[in-house]
Amino acid sequence: MDRQLLSCLFRRVKRILYIIYVVVSLAILGACSTKKNTPLNRRVQGFKARYNTYFNGNEAYKEGRELQENGNKDNFTEIIPLYLTGNKATVKIGSGNFDRAVEKCQKTIKTHSITARPEWHKSRPKTAKDKIWLSQKEYNPFLWRAWFLMGEAQFRKGEYMEAASTFAYIQRLYFSKPNLVARARLLEARCYAEMEWFYDAEDLITRAQRDSFPTNLEPLKASVLADIQLRQAQYPEAILNIEKALKGEHRSLPRTRLYMLLGQLYHKIGHDPEAFRYFKKVIRKNPPYELEFNARIQMTEAMSKGNAKQMIRKLNAMAKNPKNKEYLDQVYYAIGNIYLAKGDTTRAIWAYKDGVEKSTRNGIEKGVVMLHLGQLYWDTEKFVKAQECYSQVLGLLDKDREDYKEIDERSKILDELLPYASAVELQDSLQMMAKLDSVTLMAKIKKTIEELKKKEKEEEKKAAEAANGQQGGAAQRAGANAQQGVGNRGGQQTAVWYFYNPTTVTAGKKEFEKKWGKRDLADDWRRNNKTVLNDFNEEELSDSLKAVQDSIAAVEDSILQ
């Protein structure tokens, strides 16, 4: 009897469990549809969006962000930008990952968007809150994250207009959620700042603050404001906002970079104790060596007032360290800046010359040192040496610099002035030598010959080292080319063709003009001497040559006497 009762109960329980299973399965299948808008549908679609396509897109975005942060190269000879996207070369890094993130976000939105309005029982009265909730255009509770991630990925890859459009659409889509609208407005303002639409950016920030502004967005607002102020050289205001933005940045490397920026800004406005404090924070964070090295360099500049000799000794010690061989241009640039701050122009020129000569990189750092050297030569009216600097500096600097047009104009002026300035220098030199006695003159000639021989040996040595370096680097380049496909999948960009890189083309043109002069595009151009001396007319050229010949004859006569 007991067995029959237990068997009957077991069959009934089994049947009930089966019915529950069927009901739950049907409910879940029904919840898979985005055409219905029920609490279960919204939860299921939110869950699927989070752990399916969005998850893959978010992982791709984080990988691209890490590639950008690790591959970023800042120019520490100038104030670094607040966002990594301020460096144009950095924007190209990780673009493959960001493309994948955008693609996954678009798929998430397309697959899991719930736009159907929920059923509402007429017997239930609608409150003001219910009316706002029913008026929204998107009911998937998770999908706003996909929209923001898509905008962030577009911003990271330098598509500022597309990112601004995404954030503007978020404001319309989620108009019933003030927090999301305020955040989208700030991020849209950040895009406008990158495009230098400062009025529109500031207007968006003002509009974001009109409604109830959430306190958790204060660091983001401060960061966007600081970026706008930095671009307009409003450094004291930018400092206050960057210090507020620090509260919202918890990752080590970006936070350390903000410390570096604050140190540079405090040094720029003359508050060197605060600058020293932030540079010290950079070093304590144990950042990548380049960041730590530049913090130490700029720390010496900040503390050079009153103890310049001690700081120069430290910088010279850094120059002797083999570990810093790659950064010698920055070391001597800092030494030159200290001398210049003291008003010692001569030693500043020597330091800048050392920075140019010992530089192992033909990058923007060398360009900045050469630009400062050229400016000093210009100020001291040494136009021939200034032209040598300006003729090379254009190929090393970014065309988007604010002063690039001015540098280009000065370079053209010096190119036109070069023949006349060279003639004047030659005449002055010959006349000075003509006044010397024979013993002093011969000593001077011997010294000049020795210097030329020494210079030729140094050039031969550098050429040999460069040749050895090219041979040694051939294997590394071959290995890098073999792994190029892997790098592309990781989001790295392949090297572009020479003529697609305007900086490289400009450098090539300047190098050509330096060697061959300015030449017209014609057949057999090498057969005629078409250097910048062609700017003379025949009468001026003959007069100049006659004067040179007379000076040489005078020198020879004085030697014979």
Side-chain angles (χ1 to χ4, degrees):
M1 186 70 181
D2 292 338
R3 285 185 179 181
Q4 289 179 353
L5 182 60
L6 288 171
S7 177
C8 182
L9 287 171
F10 178 75
R11 284 196 300 272
R12 287 183 180 181
V13 170
K14 188 176 180 181
R15 187 178 300 171
I16 291 169
L17 289 173
Y18 178 75
I19 292 169
I20 292 172
Y21 171 77
V22 171
V23 171
V24 171
S25 298
L26 289 173
I28 292 174
L29 287 172
C32 290
S33 173
T34 57
K35 294 180 180 179
K36 293 183 179 180
N37 189 346
T38 64
L40 182 60
N41 281 67
R42 293 194 291 271
R43 290 191 185 94
V44 170
Q45 291 300 328
F47 181 85
K48 289 172 69 177
R50 178 192 288 267
Y51 294 107
N52 194 358
T53 47
Y54 173 84
F55 175 83
N56 295 327
N58 192 36
E59 290 299 308
Y61 172 80
K62 288 191 288 186
E63 288 175 10
R65 183 182 64 185
E66 186 178 355
L67 283 170
Q68 271 197 351
E69 290 174 352
N70 293 333
N72 175 59
K73 296 293 182 184
D74 283 307
N75 173 25
F76 293 101
T77 57
E78 298 175 352
I79 293 175
I80 61 176
L82 180 64
Y83 298 118
L84 297 183
T85 49
N87 295 324
K88 291 199 170 180
T90 304
V91 173
K92 299 176 183 178
I93 302 174
S95 61
N97 297 88
F98 298 130
D99 284 334
R100 179 173 171 79
V102 170
E103 179 188 348
K104 292 298 180 182
C105 289
Q106 289 173 340
K107 188 174 181 180
T108 302
I109 293 164
K110 183 178 179 180
T111 308
H112 303 290
S113 176
I114 301 175
T115 56
R117 295 188 66 179
E119 295 182 2
W120 192 268
H121 295 290
K122 295 181 180 179
S123 59
R124 181 182 171 186
K126 295 179 184 177
T127 63
K129 190 176 180 181
D130 292 332
K131 289 178 181 179
I132 293 173
W133 186 79
L134 287 169
S135 65
Q136 63 185 336
K137 298 178 181 179
E138 177 58 63
Y139 289 92
N140 187 324
F142 182 81
L143 216 57
W144 63 271
R145 291 180 174 85
W147 281 106
F148 276 102
L149 180 63
M150 182 166 69
E152 288 284 359
Q154 290 168 334
F155 177 82
R156 284 272 181 175
K157 59 187 284 196
E159 295 177 350
Y160 306 122
M161 185 60 74
E162 290 83 351
S165 300
T166 299
F167 294 126
Y169 184 75
I170 290 172
Q171 295 167 47
R172 295 194 298 273
L173 186 63
Y174 292 99
F175 67 93
S176 60
K177 298 184 177 180
N179 289 3
L180 296 183
V181 171
R183 182 179 175 187
R185 280 177 180 165
L186 292 176
L187 294 175
E188 186 183 0
R190 184 182 63 177
C191 298
Y192 287 162
E194 287 289 343
M195 295 186 285
E196 297 187 351
W197 298 0
F198 301 126
Y199 176 81
D200 300 283
E202 289 172 352
D203 180 60
L204 277 169
I205 295 172
T206 304
R207 286 167 56 195
Q209 291 177 295
R210 284 177 189 168
D211 305 323
S212 56
F213 191 76
T215 54
N216 65 321
L217 290 180
E218 286 291 345
L220 176 60
K221 184 193 75 174
S223 177
V224 176
L225 273 172
D227 187 40
I228 296 170
Q229 290 157 351
L230 271 177
R231 292 173 182 275
Q232 296 178 311
Q234 299 171 3
Y235 299 131
E237 297 85 351
I239 287 171
L240 296 175
N241 281 307
I242 294 172
E243 289 177 337
K244 292 178 184 177
L246 273 171
K247 297 176 183 177
E249 185 56 75
H250 304 294
R251 292 181 301 125
S252 178
L253 185 57
R255 190 175 180 85
T256 306
R257 194 170 172 275
L258 288 179
Y259 288 151
M260 185 71 183
L261 176 56
L262 282 168
Q264 289 183 315
L265 291 175
Y266 272 120
H267 179 55
K268 183 77 175 178
I269 65 174
H271 294 186
D272 288 331
E274 289 84 354
F276 182 84
R277 182 166 60 88
Y278 276 110
F279 289 138
K280 203 165 186 179
K281 282 187 175 184
V282 173
I283 297 169
R284 285 176 180 171
K285 279 284 187 178
N286 193 24
Y289 182 71
E290 186 175 8
L291 189 55
E292 179 187 346
F293 169 80
N294 281 280
R296 292 186 184 279
I297 285 280
Q298 298 194 27
M299 186 186 293
T300 57
E301 287 191 58
M303 297 305 294
S304 63
K305 291 180 181 177
N307 53 354
K309 290 183 178 179
Q310 182 183 352
M311 295 300 107
I312 290 171
R313 280 199 298 270
K314 283 188 176 181
L315 288 167
N316 283 322
M318 292 176 72
K320 293 175 183 177
N321 188 344
K323 196 175 181 181
N324 300 329
K325 185 178 180 180
E326 186 181 351
Y327 309 107
L328 289 178
D329 44 11
Q330 291 172 255
V331 175
Y332 287 106
Y333 175 69
I335 294 173
N337 289 343
I338 294 174
Y339 279 128
L340 199 60
K342 290 176 60 182
D344 193 341
T345 307
T346 303
R347 291 188 179 180
I349 289 175
W350 292 348
Y352 290 148
K353 281 180 67 178
D354 286 340
V356 172
E357 291 170 1
K358 297 181 181 181
S359 175
T360 59
R361 322 173 272 181
N362 281 328
I364 192 169
E365 294 85 0
K366 181 179 178 180
V368 171
V369 180
M370 194 172 286
L371 175 62
H372 280 67
L373 180 60
Q375 287 174 339
L376 285 179
Y377 282 140
W378 172 276
D379 294 337
T380 54
E381 298 183 358
K382 296 178 181 178
F383 299 118
V384 175
K385 292 181 178 179
Q387 192 274 340
E388 291 177 5
C389 294
Y390 276 94
S391 65
Q392 299 177 61
V393 78
L394 287 173
L396 300 173
L397 299 179
D398 192 347
K399 283 190 173 183
D400 292 330
R401 284 175 60 101
E402 292 182 2
D403 58 348
Y404 188 88
K405 187 176 179 181
E406 180 185 346
I407 296 168
D408 187 36
E409 287 293 330
R410 185 171 289 185
S411 177
K412 290 175 182 176
I413 291 169
L414 287 168
D415 287 343
E416 294 178 7
L417 188 62
L418 177 62
Y420 308 102
S422 299
V424 170
E425 283 194 9
L426 179 62
Q427 293 294 325
D428 290 344
S429 177
L430 291 173
Q431 290 178 21
M432 180 199 68
M433 292 180 69
K435 294 176 181 178
L436 299 175
D437 60 85
S438 58
V439 177
T440 308
L441 181 62
M442 291 306 299
K444 194 172 186 66
I445 291 172
K446 286 180 181 179
K447 184 180 178 182
T448 304
I449 292 172
E450 289 174 2
E451 288 177 354
L452 287 173
K453 286 182 178 180
K454 185 179 178 182
K455 186 177 180 181
E456 286 176 0
K457 287 181 180 180
E458 288 177 356
E459 289 177 354
E460 288 175 2
K461 185 179 178 182
K462 286 182 180 179
E465 289 177 354
N468 293 334
Q470 288 177 357
Q471 292 175 0
Q476 294 180 358
R477 288 194 297 273
N481 291 334
Q483 296 178 356
Q484 190 175 17
V486 178
N488 290 341
R489 288 193 295 274
Q492 296 284 4
Q493 295 293 316
T494 58
V496 296
W497 189 38
Y498 175 91
F499 292 102
Y500 288 163
N501 188 336
T503 303
T504 312
V505 172
T506 305
K509 285 180 180 178
K510 290 297 177 182
E511 187 66 26
F512 178 87
E513 289 177 5
K514 182 181 176 183
K515 184 175 182 180
W516 300 103
K518 292 186 176 180
R519 307 235 173 188
D520 295 328
L521 183 60
D523 294 336
D524 300 325
W525 55 270
R526 294 180 183 83
R527 298 190 181 207
N528 295 321
N529 184 16
K530 297 179 180 179
T531 62
V532 291
L533 290 174
N534 285 337
D535 292 338
F536 280 117
N537 59 41
E538 292 182 3
E539 185 179 351
E540 289 173 336
L541 185 59
S542 62
D543 290 343
S544 178
L545 290 174
K546 187 175 182 302
V548 171
Q549 289 171 355
D550 292 342
S551 299
I552 293 172
V555 172
E556 290 175 348
D557 291 342
S558 65
I559 293 172
L560 292 174
Q561 291 173 1

